[in-house]
């Protein structure tokens, strides 16, 4: 099997990128990270990628001002230029327009720091604490035109503990993100015939990953 060529889109730290890079080094992993794109310059994730010998580029959104379509056209061109088959959003903090979402339909994954459909959007840990939930977690899902609402590929739950702060809860969730994102990508890349050449299909749904207590 030819490993899918994956682009990881980031906006910052890149710890999920690190987890994906580590996983993709394993023999037989069905994907390799071929490109990292950031919409912000000088972020740790770009340095991490470059240090691992992966093509890493900033396509800064600011010069495009409000022209989101032009920014996304530049991203799409870079993805095409690098022969990318699957895209992983990993802390990419820009809302996508229907253009990029439809161009990569079935071939774009995202990791979100909540148990979707609970807490889509921002500030998920603070909202989980304010809501008094006893279980929180993270989700890997396909990206669709509805924000944080595409088909779920994997989830992991963590307990909310007495005395938790936003930071302590975020740290516990992040450990699980690093666990399930590489697993979900492995399963999805294996189950997407020809992800490399773009012939992706949602016809064969993946088995859900085990829900962790
Ligand atoms: C992660 O917690 C990820 O789930 C979240 O940003 C963080 C990025 O961390 N993504 C979102 O909130 C997307 N809506 P990282 O840069 O260390 O991977």
């Amino acid at each position: 099997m030819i490993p899918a060529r994956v682009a990881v889109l980031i906006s910052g730290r890149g710890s999920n990128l690190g987890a994906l890079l580590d996983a993709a080094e394993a023999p037989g992993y069905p994907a390799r990270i071929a490109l990292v794109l950031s919409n912000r310059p000088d972020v740790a994730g770009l340095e991490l990628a470059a240090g691992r010998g992966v093509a890493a580029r900033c396509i800064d959104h600011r010069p495009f001002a409000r022209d989101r379509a032009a920014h996304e056209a530049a991203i799409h061109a870079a993805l095409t230029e690098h022969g990318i088959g699957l895209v992983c959003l990993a802390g990419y903090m820009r809302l996508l327009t229907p253009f990029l979402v439809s161009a990569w339909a079935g071939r774009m994954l995202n990791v979100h720091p909540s148990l979707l459909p609970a807490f889509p959007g921002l500030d998920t840990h603070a909202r989980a604490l304010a809501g008094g939930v006893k279980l929180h977690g993270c989700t890997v899902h396909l990206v669709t035109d509805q924000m944080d609402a595409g088909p779920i590929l994997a989830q992991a739950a963590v307990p909310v503990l007495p005395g938790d702060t936003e930071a302590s809860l975020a740290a516990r969730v992040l450990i699980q993100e690093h666990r399930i994102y590489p697993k979900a990508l492995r399963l999805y890349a294996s189950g997407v015939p020809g992800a490399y050449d773009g012939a992706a299909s949602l016809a064969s749904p993946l088995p859900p990953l085990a829900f962790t207590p």
Side-chain angles (χ1 to χ4, degrees):
M1 178 184 191
I2 301 172
R5 288 174 63 80
V6 172
V8 182
L9 269 56
I10 61 169
S11 296
R13 176 177 60 180
S15 70
N16 278 287
L17 164 65
L20 294 172
L21 283 166
D22 288 346
E25 282 179 0
Y29 195 83
R32 75 178 181 87
I33 312 305
L35 178 65
V36 172
L37 295 178
S38 171
N39 66 306
R40 292 187 178 281
D42 306 322
V43 295
L46 279 178
E47 278 177 40
L48 171 69
R52 301 281 285 259
V54 175
R57 264 181 68 185
C58 173
I59 302 182
D60 195 334
H61 62 278
R62 290 169 301 183
F64 293 92
R66 292 186 179 186
D67 194 348
R68 302 170 74 86
H71 181 240
E72 290 191 354
I75 291 172
H76 185 65
L79 297 174
T80 306
E81 186 186 313
H82 285 262
I84 296 304
L86 287 172
V87 175
C88 288
L89 306 183
Y92 186 70
M93 304 307 281
R94 299 272 301 168
L95 280 179
L96 300 180
T97 76
F99 162 69
L100 206 62
V101 171
S102 63
W104 291 88
R107 296 191 294 147
M108 184 182 279
L109 284 63
N110 180 44
V111 63
H112 181 77
S114 77
L115 287 174
L116 292 172
F119 309 123
L122 299 175
D123 301 323
T124 57
H125 309 305
R127 287 155 63 209
L129 288 172
V133 298
K134 300 297 179 202
L135 279 178
H136 188 42
C138 52
T139 302
V140 177
H141 65 96
L142 290 174
V143 175
T144 63
D145 55 1
Q146 301 298 308
M147 185 189 68
D148 298 332
I152 290 172
L153 301 175
Q155 286 187 310
V158 302
V160 180
L161 302 177
D164 255 340
T165 62
E166 214 178 311
S168 65
L169 188 54
R172 196 174 309 119
V173 169
L174 194 64
I175 290 168
Q176 297 304 318
E177 294 184 37
H178 297 166
R179 197 176 64 82
I180 67 168
Y181 209 176
K183 282 191 179 184
L185 176 60
R186 175 166 56 73
L187 291 172
Y188 198 69
S190 312
V192 179
Y196 178 72
D197 62 19
S201 159
L202 292 180
S204 315
L206 296 163
L209 293 177
F211 212 82
T212 53

